[in-house]
Amino acid sequence: AAAGSGDGGSLATGGAGAGPSTASKLSPTTRNPKYVSLAPAVGEPLPRSNMGMWNYLDIPGALSRDGSPAGFYYKFSNSGSKNLMIYLVGGGVCPDTSFCNINPANKSQSLTAESIGAGAGNALAAAPDSEPQDPSGSRWQSGIFKDDPSNPVKDWNMVYIPYVTGDVFFGSRPNGTIDGVTGTFQFVGKTNMQKFLERIIPTFKDAEIALMAGSSAG
């Protein structure tokens, strides 16, 4: 912090009586050299096909909690809309035996109200639902995904990111462990998202509106 008058006044060197600060004339990188951009590198745009239909793509280097490949679904608007919605699927977190047992370890599993109820009754025997996280499934034909004139995003470009890392999309710890839980886990939700954005950003760089949505862990 620069010298000041003690009353929350000027942040300019020399305190409140030093006159206008020159700091505002400096670039952010000069003012704050420790800060670096966390924006991902720009990769190749996604293949543009199947307008209005869901496509799935595994992204090289992205991993599910169980070590299997990870990726995301995407759908191009068939009305010409440039708007984009990115949806992060929910699914709890993996901090202990009870929740790790019912937390989806890859996109072929889901955490639903039914599996939460099973976990409350018998944590050791519980397991995630064997319902894939797939936006073309019947569960996802409602709410923000419903093809209905009253839905303001129904004809937008969409990206649907399954929840597969048990870390609320925020982990960067490969081969992580949990006390009392057998095995190692790929808690790499953050690093996955960085890889995903490398493809999403150049694909929808002309988006007029970008909406981030999700549920629970998302």
Side-chain angles (χ1 to χ4, degrees):
S5 62
D7 60 357
S10 172
L11 293 179
T13 302
S21 169
T22 58
S24 61
K25 298 179 182 180
L26 302 177
S27 69
T29 52
T30 302
R31 251 194 340 262
N32 302 301
K34 67 179 180 179
Y35 297 135
V36 297
S37 173
L38 298 180
V42 176
E44 291 294 320
L46 297 167
R48 194 171 186 85
S49 60
N50 299 327
M51 309 302 286
M53 304 293 290
W54 286 107
N55 306 275
Y56 178 79
L57 184 68
D58 278 330
I59 299 300
L63 296 173
S64 302
R65 184 163 62 89
D66 63 2
S68 61
F72 58 85
Y73 294 85
Y74 63 96
K75 179 171 68 172
F76 290 107
S77 169
N78 59 5
S79 71
S81 173
K82 292 185 177 181
N83 296 335
L84 170 66
M85 181 185 75
I86 300 176
Y87 188 90
L88 306 182
V89 180
V93 69
C94 175
D96 54 36
T97 300
S98 177
F99 273 96
C100 287
N101 281 350
I102 61 175
N103 186 260
N106 54 61
K107 72 180 180 68
S108 68
Q109 304 171 341
S110 298
L111 177 60
T112 65
E114 292 81 6
S115 55
I116 291 175
N122 187 345
L124 296 179
D129 286 349
S130 59
E131 177 184 338
Q133 297 177 58
D134 182 342
S136 63
S138 59
R139 183 182 294 275
W140 301 97
Q141 308 312 306
S142 61
I144 202 168
F145 293 97
K146 189 173 183 178
D147 185 13
D148 186 279
S150 63
N151 179 7
V153 304
K154 75 177 188 68
D155 63 341
W156 287 21
N157 300 291
M158 294 185 181
V159 172
Y160 171 107
I161 302 181
Y163 181 54
V164 297
T165 52
D167 57 10
V168 295
F169 295 95
F170 205 63
S172 55
R173 188 177 183 84
N175 300 315
T177 58
I178 297 291
D179 289 344
V181 182
T182 302
T184 59
F185 307 102
Q186 305 307 313
F187 295 126
V188 291
K190 176 183 176 181
T191 47
N192 280 358
M193 286 294 292
Q194 291 172 326
K195 296 177 188 298
F196 297 166
L197 289 173
E198 290 180 13
R199 305 295 302 275
I200 294 169
I201 289 173
T203 303
F204 302 106
K205 62 183 180 180
D206 296 329
E208 297 173 348
I209 300 173
L211 170 67
M212 179 71 81
S215 63
S216 189

